[in-house]
Every structure is written in structure tokens, then in C-alpha cells.
Amino acid sequence: MLAFVCALASVTLTACGGGEEDPDEGTNGLAKLTAEEIEQEVRGAVEGATAVRLSGTVITEGTTYRLDMRIGEGGGVGEVSTEGTTFELLRIGEDLFIKADAGFWQSQDDPEDEDGEESADPDPAHKLDGKYVRVAPEDPAYGQLSGFTDRNVLLDGLLALEGERAIGERGELGGVQTIRLEAGEGVGGAMEISLIGTPYPLRFERGGAAGELTLTDWNKEFTLHAPPEEEILDYGDEMVTDED
């Protein structure tokens, strides 16, 4: 009879003569660490990663950006949407390209040149429609746009926590057990971290309600393909003044 009772009790996670089953069994043990130690482990995992996919929203200076980017060691590719326009970014090494339709370029076009005179081409946007426009490294836009394709720049800037760290509740994302790390009671940002395998952040809530990102495909390699030469235009005056 006693053996039967013990067997029944084990089904309810309690064994005769023993305590409750370890909730961390089968996990990476992250939940046993302090909040500061968890953050350190996460940072180490992110720094050692070779690839990741980021999707979600980032709000900065009142502007909302929707990202869907795949980023690796050699560059990145994906789409960025903001204020009703969408453009594709592709960086392979130092070469940075932006691809968009005429509507996007029209929204960026300044009808006057630096001297205050009207542009020689009344409709330069149609020349850029669907083309891969190569952005020169010395162009101010290069630093801003390339940041969306740079793993270190993007992750360091987006995965920032401000305030006292604290461990939140456990959860689950995509069938993976997670634990929540918060800063400033969530106001300074929060992340859901995998309790299985490498402790990668799987979701990040930016502080100050500045957006939310999902991070997937950690270390999943992908290939970056250079655009065909006939589809590339170099950013400069010559590309908007050439005759059709």
C-alpha cells in the first residue's frame, strides 16, 4: 500500500521522503542567478552570436520604425518601414545599398538644390524606382542607415536597460521556457530570455514604451547576395541628371 501511495504522489511532483521536483531541471540554470549575473550571461551570448533576425518596432524622436532585418558578421538585409514608406537595406561588407519605389524617393526629394534653385530634373525619383542605390561611406546617411545592418551597433543600441535590474516571472515564447529580466520595474526596459540552451534574449521591450522587438534565428547562417550590376546606381548628382 505504501509503495502505491509513493507512486501516486510522484505523479503530482512530490516523492515520498523527498521535496518538490526542481523547476530548473533541463534548463540552462539561468534562473538561479542574480539579475546582474543574468544580464552578464545574456550580454556574453549576444556578443558571441554570429547571426540574428530582428523584427518589431523602434520608436525614436517621435518616429516609429518597423524593422525586419537579418544581420550577420558580413552585413545584413531586410526592410525598414516608417511614416508610410518602406525601403530595403542591404549591406555586404562596406557596400551599402538602399532599394525603394518612386514614392519613397519622392518623399525624400528636395525640389531645390543647395543654392536654392529648382532641381534640373523635375522628377528624379522615377530613375531610382526599384534600383539598388549605393550609398557612399562619406555620405551622412551612410552612418545612419548602416546601423540597421550592423549587429553590434544595432544590438548595443536597442538592448539597453536603464534602472535597477530585477528578475521577473517565467514564461514561454514559441515553446521555449523563458525568464524575464526587468530594469526600473519595466519602465527602463525588459527582456524575455531563453532558459533552454544558450541564454539569448527572445523578446525585448524598450524602455519608455519606445518599441518592442522579437529576436529569432540566433546563429542561423544566411547568404547575402550582391545586386546585379545593371540594377545598381551610385548615389550622386549624375544619377538624377542623366537623360533617359
Side-chain angles (χ1 to χ4, degrees):
M1 183 65 177
L2 182 59
F4 171 77
V5 173
C6 286
L8 180 62
S10 67
V11 176
T12 61
L13 305 183
T14 302
C16 289
E20 293 185 355
E21 188 174 287
D22 184 359
D24 293 316
E25 184 177 355
T27 74
N28 53 25
L30 202 69
K32 296 181 178 180
L33 304 179
T34 65
E36 290 74 17
E37 290 172 334
I38 290 176
E39 183 176 13
Q40 185 176 359
E41 290 292 320
V42 171
R43 292 289 175 183
V46 169
E47 291 174 3
T50 58
V52 65
R53 181 173 183 173
L54 296 93
S55 57
T57 59
V58 173
I59 303 171
T60 178
E61 297 182 354
T63 300
T64 299
Y65 297 90
R66 290 174 177 80
L67 311 180
D68 187 2
M69 301 293 303
R70 298 192 70 177
I71 306 171
E73 294 181 300
V77 62
E79 288 187 344
V80 179
S81 300
T82 181
E83 298 181 342
T85 63
T86 299
F87 56 91
E88 178 183 328
L89 285 176
L90 170 64
R91 182 177 63 82
I92 303 176
E94 296 298 318
D95 289 330
L96 175 67
F97 304 93
I98 179 171
K99 180 181 180 181
D101 61 17
F104 170 83
W105 293 112
Q106 287 171 347
S107 70
Q108 305 297 309
D109 184 42
D110 186 348
E112 296 185 352
D113 61 20
E114 293 181 357
D115 297 324
E117 299 179 356
E118 290 188 2
S119 171
D121 189 335
D123 185 20
H126 74 281
K127 294 186 173 69
L128 312 181
D129 184 15
K131 298 291 186 180
Y132 286 90
V133 178
R134 193 194 327 258
V135 184
E138 60 269 19
D139 191 293
Y142 184 94
Q144 299 171 337
L145 295 174
S146 64
F148 286 114
T149 66
D150 188 300
R151 179 191 55 179
N152 295 328
V153 171
L154 196 58
L155 293 178
D156 286 347
L158 296 181
L159 303 185
L161 296 172
E162 296 184 4
E164 184 177 354
R165 277 50 163 178
I167 300 174
E169 297 181 352
R170 298 187 186 219
E172 184 177 298
L173 281 175
V176 178
Q177 297 180 58
T178 61
I179 191 166
R180 184 177 176 87
L181 179 66
E182 300 179 340
E185 298 183 346
V187 177
M191 63 176 74
E192 303 287 342
I193 307 158
S194 175
L195 283 173
I196 305 299
T198 306
Y200 291 124
L202 303 182
R203 184 168 62 196
F204 187 82
E205 300 167 16
R206 302 187 73 212
E212 182 176 305
L213 291 166
T214 298
L215 301 96
T216 58
D217 294 346
W218 286 101
N219 285 336
K220 186 175 181 179
E221 299 301 325
F222 62 97
T223 302
L224 293 167
H225 299 282
E229 284 297 324
E230 62 271 18
E231 295 184 16
I232 297 176
L233 291 174
D234 287 310
Y235 188 83
D237 291 340
E238 67 277 9
M239 75 179 179
V240 295
T241 57
D242 288 345
E243 295 294 332
D244 288 339

